[in-house]
Amino acid sequence: MRVLAAMSGGVDSAVAAARAVEAGHDVVGVHLALSRMPGTLRTGSRGCCTVEDSNDAWRACDKLGIPYYVWDFSERFQEDVVQDFINEYAAGRTPNPCMRCNERIKFAALLEKAIALGFDAVCTGHYAKVITDADGNPELHRAADWAKDQSYVLGVLTHEQLKHCMFPLADTPSKAEVRAEAEARGLSVAQKPDSHDICFIPDGDTAGWLAEKIEMTDGEILDETGAKVGGHTGANQFTVGQRRGLKLGTPAADGKPRFVLEIRPKENKVIVGPHALLAIDSIQGIKVSWAGLPIADVAAGTEFDCYAQVRAHGDPVPARAFITEETDDAGTRQQLHVTLVEPLLGVAPGQTIVLYQGSRVLGQATIDTARSLARPDLP
């Protein structure tokens, strides 16, 4: 096949491209320029998509003997990922920029351009697996190494996109083996540290970065009874489950720490309370999509058993789910309703919920509301 290898500049994408070449495919490497700040440099494991990463990607392609290109997706990245991140925080939600990047950049804009240029597939270094069923339909599954599994952040991929996805690291038992293979192949990125944090906030100071982008206004911090216990300089800088940085003037009656339970941007209020009140067992999701063809229960509108995961490295918990549809002038939209058999802590609107059956990814939704069926509504 003609394969476009997305080269991040890291060890995973380099080894994935090498395996695609070794499998006999006609491979071309491409690095996505997502920032127009040419002086941007990586600091250890912080940041990605930098000048250093671009150079590392070029060196890997040169070693593999494949063509190398840089595609400028910075304008679309700014609009679809960075601005979306700002807008979501301004609305009091907690977004996942990596999900948006996979959805709108790496497997929408990139794949669309690749197919237009005659490529059959896009190859990446993600740890996930595409399995074809008896009828030839693709399914997304967890990777062999669950510790490195990235199927959660790929839950946004659609049936059509999965037909053109190639994940050569799917069956690799560990990251150590990938690094050893890179070393054996003479790839300079063999020991390069993995990137962490949000790529466009490389210093990790999300609150400080947002303060420059969103107008912050002083407001009140209330406890679960509605009593004022402190103040803040902007509700948008907080996220559900947060403990540090609250600077409460009134200690809790039991002397224990309090956590952010809810953010109300319209009222500019932050609600805090004890750790126990973070437990959530009912979730409603919007912007629903299915990774491959929906299972029969979804099409029938009946409830089904599944496992729910709300963080990239979080543990899946057993759940029951069903779909409803809402129709208006804008068209028909699905809503996902999930009841968790085991509660999860610190679930926030804006996060992504991904559903699994066994190792298979069923689909995902953006969390619109998250609450406890046993907890009364907060004042």
Side-chain angles (χ1 to χ4, degrees):
M1 295 192 298
R2 290 196 70 207
V3 174
L4 187 71
M7 307 292 291
S8 68
V11 63
D12 294 326
S13 61
V15 170
R19 292 184 180 183
V21 171
E22 193 170 65
H25 300 300
D26 178 13
V27 182
V28 173
V30 62
H31 179 76
L32 302 185
L34 303 181
S35 171
R36 290 189 175 179
M37 297 184 293
T40 302
L41 293 173
R42 170 188 284 265
T43 303
S45 62
R46 292 189 179 274
C48 67
C49 313
T50 64
V51 171
E52 178 185 338
D53 294 311
S54 178
N55 291 336
D56 286 339
W58 171 78
R59 280 189 284 268
C61 288
D62 185 58
K63 183 69 177 179
L64 297 175
I66 61 175
Y68 172 70
Y69 297 91
V70 176
W71 287 357
D72 184 358
F73 279 17
S74 58
E75 186 173 339
R76 185 155 179 177
F77 181 78
Q78 176 64 34
E79 179 181 346
D80 289 351
V81 179
V82 179
Q83 191 58 50
D84 175 81
F85 183 84
I86 295 169
N87 293 344
E88 287 293 281
Y89 261 102
R93 295 186 287 267
T94 304
N96 186 322
C98 293
M99 299 288 285
R100 295 290 79 78
C101 187
N102 281 332
E103 175 187 18
R104 300 173 185 176
I105 306 297
K106 295 177 182 175
F107 294 98
L110 176 62
L111 184 56
E112 179 182 301
K113 186 171 181 177
I115 291 174
L117 291 172
F119 287 93
D120 301 302
V122 166
C123 162
T124 75
H126 286 97
Y127 289 77
K129 182 185 299 186
V130 176
I131 296 176
T132 304
D133 69 14
D135 296 321
N137 297 306
E139 298 176 353
L140 179 64
H141 286 254
R142 291 190 187 275
D145 180 8
W146 277 44
K148 290 296 295 180
D149 173 62
Q150 293 174 302
S151 61
Y152 172 88
V153 296
L154 298 175
V156 291
L157 298 183
T158 66
H159 179 252
E160 285 302 313
Q161 289 171 334
L162 286 173
K163 290 179 180 178
H164 302 281
C165 289
M166 179 184 290
F167 304 126
L169 304 187
D171 294 317
T172 307
S174 71
K175 181 62 174 273
E177 183 171 309
V178 171
R179 292 195 182 280
E181 181 176 335
E183 193 80 50
R185 291 181 182 274
L187 296 169
S188 62
V189 293
Q191 299 306 320
K192 183 176 180 178
D194 294 337
S195 61
H196 299 289
D197 300 312
I198 300 169
C199 67
F200 51 87
I201 313 178
D203 65 359
D205 183 12
T206 302
W209 187 87
L210 285 170
E212 299 176 356
K213 309 292 189 299
I214 301 174
E215 183 178 354
M216 300 287 184
T217 306
D218 293 353
E220 297 178 338
I221 299 179
L222 310 178
D223 68 12
E224 73 277 15
T225 69
K228 180 180 177 180
V229 293
H232 63 75
T233 57
N236 311 98
Q237 63 188 296
F238 296 92
T239 188
V240 171
Q242 181 175 335
R243 173 187 171 186
R244 298 183 183 277
L246 297 179
K247 300 177 182 178
L248 302 178
T250 306
D254 59 6
K256 294 183 178 179
R258 284 177 289 203
F259 300 78
V260 175
L261 303 178
E262 191 176 315
I263 301 159
R264 299 176 182 172
K266 291 183 179 179
E267 303 171 36
N268 197 31
K269 293 180 179 179
V270 176
I271 313 301
V272 300
H275 187 265
L277 294 186
L278 285 172
I280 292 297
D281 54 15
S282 176
I283 293 173
Q284 182 172 306
I286 58 175
K287 301 178 182 177
V288 183
S289 68
W290 303 101
L293 295 179
I295 60 174
D297 287 325
V298 170
T302 56
E303 193 174 42
F304 56 92
D305 291 317
C306 58
Y307 279 80
Q309 186 171 331
V310 299
R311 294 179 182 83
H313 302 293
D315 292 326
V317 298
R320 297 277 294 168
F322 66 94
I323 291 290
T324 58
E325 292 188 346
E326 181 180 276
T327 303
D328 56 23
D329 294 339
T332 300
R333 296 181 300 277
Q334 291 186 327
Q335 290 186 328
L336 175 66
H337 305 265
V338 180
T339 300
L340 305 175
V341 177
E342 298 176 9
L344 287 169
L345 300 179
V347 181
Q351 287 180 303
T352 301
I353 181 170
V354 176
L355 302 184
Y356 292 82
Q357 281 187 344
S359 66
R360 182 187 173 184
V361 180
L362 300 182
Q364 64 82 42
T366 298
I367 296 173
D368 187 43
T369 59
R371 59 187 297 269
S372 168
L373 297 174
R375 185 187 79 189
D377 291 336
L378 299 172

